[in-house]
Amino acid sequence: MKIWNSHFECMEREELRKIQTDRLRETVERAYFNVPHYRSKMQEAGLGPECIRSVDDISRLPFTTKNDLRDTYPFGLFAVPMSEIVRLHASSGTTGKPTVVGYTRNDISTWSEVMARTLTAAGADRHDFIQIAYGYGLFTGGLGLHYGGEKIGASVIPVSGGNTSRQLQLMRDFGTTVLACTPSYALYLAEAIQESGIDRNELKLKAGVFGAEPWTENMRREIESKLRIKAIDIYGLSEVIGPGVASECMEQNGLHINEDHFYPEIIDPVTLQVLPEGSTGELVFTTITKEGLPLVRYRTRDLTRLSYGKCACGRTLVRMEKCLGRSDDMLIIRGVNLFPSQIETVLLEMSEIKPHYLIIVDRVNNLDTLELQVEVDEEFFQDKISQLQALRAKLQDNLENATGLSIKVTLVEPKTIERSEGKAKRVLDKRKY
Ligand SMILES: [Zn+2]
């Protein structure tokens, strides 16, 4: 099992905590003295940099959101003069201005380091050929992987996204061993390989690092069987650094967060309180080494939970679960937080059921009600009623175990639930009308 930087990736947690504390204090000072926006927010909260003595004090600091980046567009949150910024990236906003991020020379070096860890965790080294089919440009995907690939000494193929026939040609002729792209493009490439008539044995692919969009375990299994590779989940967001914030190891059981650079917390997205270890909630990051654009308690809106338990790979860095969805999608049912993705996970694990469903929320006599309509296989409708009842009971049990809520389940025939083009409508919340 290869580890790029075992000093930091396998550090005793107590020692790591000391380093995090030192780095957090430096970051808070840098933000306070160099960024007027942070200074005024801290002053409003009655805080000075001296109030933050260790990572235990982090919850006293105000949050940062995407709006803070928009309000200070383009460079208002930068903590160094522009003469020290060597790179700018930006993500296109769905509305209005893009989110701009800036890197100093040290930030680029940090980014290369965390990407080297990511690629090494996926089994890559200097003997590999890494085909980067993420987009290059203002998007952080392409160049993030690129610098990591060069750092480990691999042969980097900066093909960028699109042009599928060229992707296949290079993959075969150059002997690509590691593919980096979005999971949906990986599936697309897998199908293109089958259609092109290329014999899989002509390819040397062994692993893929996939991220930048949510994907399910089912999708992973499909990619792995079609491409005959190990599919590794990677996580990042440009505001924090780009790819390289967290990545899976060969255990594929959670993504190790590079905590010596990015300090994670899990909060309740409604009350904004920090949740106890093991709870599902919104992931918040404080960058503790970044110079150009330090982020203090940045709300990612991504939902997950953290596990500090030992990983078989030997790394001690905390693991985050594959992201469950966005906090913007969260429902509150009888005071319990519910994410549609929790229901979807249960459904995907039951082969008798199709992943076509609708969650209907209502309020009857001031009490929230929850109904799940879900399609089952045709054959079940030809079977005895008792089998349908047994399936419904099993599903209800599984849902209650996963969500803590009792959910009324209605099984319906295939193709009963309305299909939509684009993003499927999964929730009908009648309480809002
Ligand atoms: Zn691990």
Side-chain angles (χ1 to χ4, degrees):
M1 200 96 65
K2 287 175 271 184
I3 294 176
W4 176 256
N5 186 337
S6 52
H7 175 69
F8 280 106
E9 294 179 80
C10 308
M11 184 173 269
E12 289 294 328
R13 294 210 54 90
E14 228 168 272
E15 197 187 345
L16 177 64
R17 209 167 168 76
K18 280 188 202 132
I19 291 171
Q20 288 173 322
T21 284
D22 290 345
R23 291 179 171 182
L24 174 67
R25 290 173 61 172
E26 281 169 28
T27 297
V28 169
E29 248 173 56
R30 193 157 55 234
Y32 186 91
F33 290 110
N34 298 346
V35 186
H37 184 83
Y38 280 131
R39 183 162 58 244
S40 58
K41 275 178 86 170
M42 282 179 64
Q43 282 169 343
E44 272 169 42
L47 293 171
E50 70 287 349
C51 301
I52 308 304
R53 301 160 70 100
S54 85
V55 280
D56 297 323
D57 297 320
I58 198 167
S59 59
R60 299 178 66 190
L61 290 163
F63 290 104
T64 306
T65 65
K66 202 157 190 134
N67 279 337
D68 292 301
L69 285 158
R70 284 202 196 103
D71 294 346
T72 55
Y73 175 86
F75 308 138
L77 287 189
F78 288 14
V80 297
M82 289 310 288
S83 56
E84 288 182 37
I85 296 289
V86 300
R87 177 94 66 79
L88 292 166
H89 280 282
S91 58
S92 53
T94 41
T95 50
K97 295 166 184 164
T99 304
V100 182
V101 294
Y103 303 74
T104 64
R105 207 170 290 283
N106 283 336
D107 293 335
I108 295 287
S109 148
T110 301
W111 196 12
S112 311
E113 156 73 20
V114 291
M115 282 314 300
R117 294 182 190 179
T118 294
L119 287 166
T120 306
D125 63 23
R126 53 201 287 268
H127 302 293
D128 280 294
F129 291 76
I130 306 180
Q131 183 160 337
I132 301 174
Y134 277 112
Y136 279 65
L138 286 175
F139 171 59
T140 49
L143 282 165
L145 266 299
H146 186 104
Y147 275 61
E150 287 192 349
K151 178 136 182 139
I152 65 169
S155 306
V156 173
I157 310 167
V159 55
S160 196
N163 201 339
T164 301
S165 57
R166 187 174 57 185
Q167 301 275 359
L168 300 190
Q169 188 196 359
L170 299 184
M171 199 178 276
R172 184 186 56 196
D173 296 353
F174 290 4
T176 300
T177 53
V178 178
L179 174 66
C181 61
T182 60
S184 53
Y185 194 54
L187 262 186
Y188 186 83
L189 283 172
E191 277 152 23
I193 290 170
Q194 281 171 348
E195 283 163 20
S196 73
I198 294 177
D199 180 357
R200 172 60 182 86
N201 294 324
E202 287 179 76
L203 303 177
K204 297 199 174 120
L205 278 182
K206 62 173 192 187
V209 282
F210 305 123
E213 65 186 21
W215 51 312
T216 59
E217 282 301 324
N218 267 19
M219 211 164 153
R220 189 212 297 269
R221 282 191 283 271
E222 208 178 329
I223 293 172
E224 291 196 326
S225 73
K226 283 188 169 158
L227 282 176
R228 280 192 261 150
I229 58 170
K230 190 118 175 162
I232 297 291
D233 191 13
I234 64 173
Y235 173 86
L237 58 173
S238 63
E239 299 92 310
V240 174
I241 201 154
V245 176
S247 65
E248 280 182 337
C249 57
M250 289 305 218
E251 300 296 318
Q252 295 177 310
N253 184 21
L255 294 85
H256 289 283
I257 295 174
N258 286 304
E259 285 175 276
D260 48 329
H261 297 286
F262 319 111
Y263 185 85
E265 298 169 90
I266 295 289
I267 63 161
D268 182 315
V270 177
T271 65
L272 304 183
Q273 294 301 307
V274 175
L275 293 173
E277 197 181 318
S279 316
T280 297
E282 182 181 328
L283 182 60
V284 168
F285 277 113
T286 300
T287 64
I288 52 175
T289 52
K290 255 171 77 190
E291 298 176 341
L293 176 63
L295 284 183
V296 176
R297 302 193 85 201
Y298 184 71
R299 293 187 58 186
T300 65
R301 311 280 167 178
D302 287 325
L303 297 167
T304 184
R305 63 177 159 195
L306 302 180
S307 158
Y308 289 86
K310 262 205 154 69
C311 182
C313 74
R315 290 176 183 80
T316 51
L317 297 173
V318 68
R319 279 170 293 162
M320 60 181 265
E321 237 173 44
K322 213 170 184 17
C323 278
L324 277 172
R326 305 276 298 164
S327 62
D328 314 313
D329 300 332
M330 188 181 79
L331 294 162
I332 304 176
I333 310 291
R334 290 169 233 143
V336 176
N337 297 349
L338 175 74
F339 308 109
S341 49
Q342 287 175 285
I343 290 182
E344 184 161 328
T345 304
V346 171
L347 298 180
L348 286 171
E349 281 164 7
M350 293 177 66
S351 57
E352 309 94 315
I353 286 164
K354 300 280 178 200
H356 294 292
Y357 64 93
L358 183 66
I359 299 163
I360 303 167
V361 188
D362 206 347
R363 187 165 284 159
V364 180
N365 299 329
N366 295 318
L367 195 69
D368 296 331
T369 61
L370 192 58
E371 182 192 349
L372 173 71
Q373 290 186 355
V374 60
E375 293 182 5
V376 291
D377 259 355
E378 191 99 48
E379 57 190 275
F380 272 90
F381 275 92
Q382 290 149 9
D383 286 339
K384 290 189 189 119
I385 296 287
S386 60
Q387 268 172 308
L388 268 182
Q389 280 170 340
L391 177 61
R392 188 170 63 207
K394 179 180 161 194
L395 178 54
Q396 253 162 352
D397 268 0
N398 290 356
L399 287 169
E400 188 160 353
N401 285 337
T403 66
L405 286 163
S406 78
I407 299 173
K408 183 189 166 197
V409 171
T410 308
L411 301 177
V412 297
E413 291 186 53
K415 304 203 168 69
T416 311
I417 292 167
E418 202 186 329
R419 303 289 194 267
S420 60
E421 282 177 35
K423 203 169 160 21
K425 187 169 170 52
R426 300 300 198 187
V427 180
L428 180 61
D429 194 343
K430 295 180 176 173
R431 297 176 301 179
K432 284 172 185 161
Y433 306 113

